[in-house]
Amino acid sequence: MAEEQSIPQHALARLQGLRSQGHPDGVFTSDFSVNEFLLVRKAGFEPVGLCVGSCIYHLGFQFAGWGSNVELEQLSLAMYEARALAMERMRLEAANMGADGIVGVRLTVKRLEWDSKILEFVAIGTGIVHAKGHQGFKGPNGQPFTSALSGQDFWTLLSAGYRPLEMVMGSCVYHVARRGPLATLGSVGQNVELGNFSLALYEAREIAMERMQLEASKAGAEGVVGADLHEGSHNWSSHVIEFFAIGTAVLPIEGHEADDIPDPKLVLSVNS
């Protein structure tokens, strides 16, 4: 899809009204809390504007046998591709506003009433730019970095000598086999592990996490922080679930050593 077609005209007009070096009379927009805003400024960055990416996606169909533990690869690919499209459009907005990166990214999935197979994927975060024009915080290929970290975690990460590189994710839609009548009757009233179910869920989680790990490796990251694993059925049908793993790939800032990491401090709030 061409760049001009990926960003609606209203969004382009909004981006042009943001505060920037060439437009000092503009205003920045962000979803930062006060603490996040101040800590991002303390880290040497300034918010530029909210970045949004959206994708309405029609999911295909894939059949799985009654008694089969199997990944539904077509659905896995669809769920991943739709999120990736939303992320890329959000990153495109960040690039158009001249941001070095996006922090506090949230990915949501919403089922629409038009059709049971239509979902909306939305990615939103705050684009930021280094206050002194430092170019060493870009993501892979010189694109704005993406991060699910909050503004506070972003400041903590930079203070410790690491920087966010890219949001990484992995998805797996899996059909969990049903038990037959004899197997069901055989466990009535007993404490017994349902091994086929345990194995299916274990495998589905592992596939999602492995794919997230592979993305981080391809990005050249040292590791992933803030990783989270979501489980959802999205009302497909019984025995069909999705595991979705997401996190922020990080890299050490050149010149920093492990000894530079500040000691943790305990702060007690005086608020009730």
Side-chain angles (χ1 to χ4, degrees):
M1 182 180 292
E3 179 173 327
E4 294 77 11
Q5 296 175 318
S6 297
I7 301 182
Q9 286 300 319
H10 284 296
L12 290 172
R14 177 177 61 84
L15 298 179
Q16 291 169 2
L18 294 171
R19 189 180 186 85
S20 66
Q21 191 172 13
H23 189 204
D25 296 331
V27 296
F28 71 83
T29 57
S30 83
D31 56 356
F32 287 152
S33 67
V34 173
N35 283 341
E36 286 182 289
F37 168 64
L38 295 176
L39 287 172
V40 167
R41 291 297 306 270
K42 180 70 176 176
F45 287 80
E46 295 178 350
V48 184
L50 280 171
C51 314
V52 182
S54 174
C55 174
I56 308 292
Y57 205 93
H58 179 272
L59 302 177
F61 174 77
Q62 186 172 355
F63 175 78
W66 174 277
S68 301
N69 274 341
V70 62
E71 180 185 8
L72 303 179
E73 296 179 351
Q74 185 171 340
L75 283 176
S76 289
L77 181 62
M79 296 297 287
Y80 180 88
E81 187 175 85
R83 289 188 179 99
L85 284 170
M87 289 275 292
E88 191 52 39
R89 287 166 187 164
M90 176 189 65
R91 197 202 302 260
L92 193 56
E93 280 204 8
N96 272 272
M97 65 176 67
D100 292 322
I102 314 166
V103 295
V105 175
R106 304 187 306 279
L107 268 175
T108 58
V109 181
K110 182 173 68 176
R111 180 174 293 278
L112 300 175
E113 295 181 357
W114 308 329
D115 187 315
S116 62
K117 294 187 179 302
I118 294 180
L119 298 176
E120 181 185 25
F121 298 79
V122 179
I124 184 168
T126 297
I128 62 172
V129 65
H130 195 278
K132 296 183 179 179
H134 195 302
Q135 294 297 309
F137 292 94
K138 294 282 190 179
N141 302 317
Q143 294 294 309
F145 70 80
T146 52
S147 165
L149 299 176
S150 68
Q152 290 165 306
D153 284 343
F154 177 69
W155 172 81
T156 304
L157 187 72
L158 261 62
S159 299
Y162 284 82
R163 67 181 178 93
L165 192 61
E166 188 170 50
M167 276 184 69
V168 287
M169 55 189 181
S171 175
C172 177
V173 180
Y174 205 91
H175 178 266
V176 181
R178 292 168 170 81
R179 304 177 71 213
L182 292 179
T184 302
L185 287 173
S187 59
V188 171
Q190 298 186 45
N191 289 334
V192 58
E193 180 185 12
L194 304 180
N196 57 329
F197 289 177
S198 294
L199 183 62
L201 299 188
Y202 199 125
E203 184 172 344
R205 287 192 189 95
E206 284 298 316
I207 291 173
M209 290 192 291
E210 182 181 356
R211 287 171 179 165
M212 177 185 70
Q213 184 177 324
L214 183 61
E215 276 203 353
S217 178
K218 287 181 177 177
E222 183 178 276
V224 179
V225 299
D228 198 7
L229 190 61
H230 303 271
E231 177 187 346
S233 68
H234 301 288
N235 296 322
W236 282 312
S237 67
S238 63
H239 286 250
V240 176
I241 55 175
E242 182 199 30
F243 285 100
F244 177 60
I246 190 167
T248 300
V250 299
L251 198 63
I253 298 174
E254 192 173 347
H256 279 258
E257 301 293 339
D259 292 340
D260 297 335
I261 298 175
D263 293 329
K265 296 179 181 178
L266 176 63
V267 178
L268 292 177
S269 173
V270 296
N271 296 325
S272 60

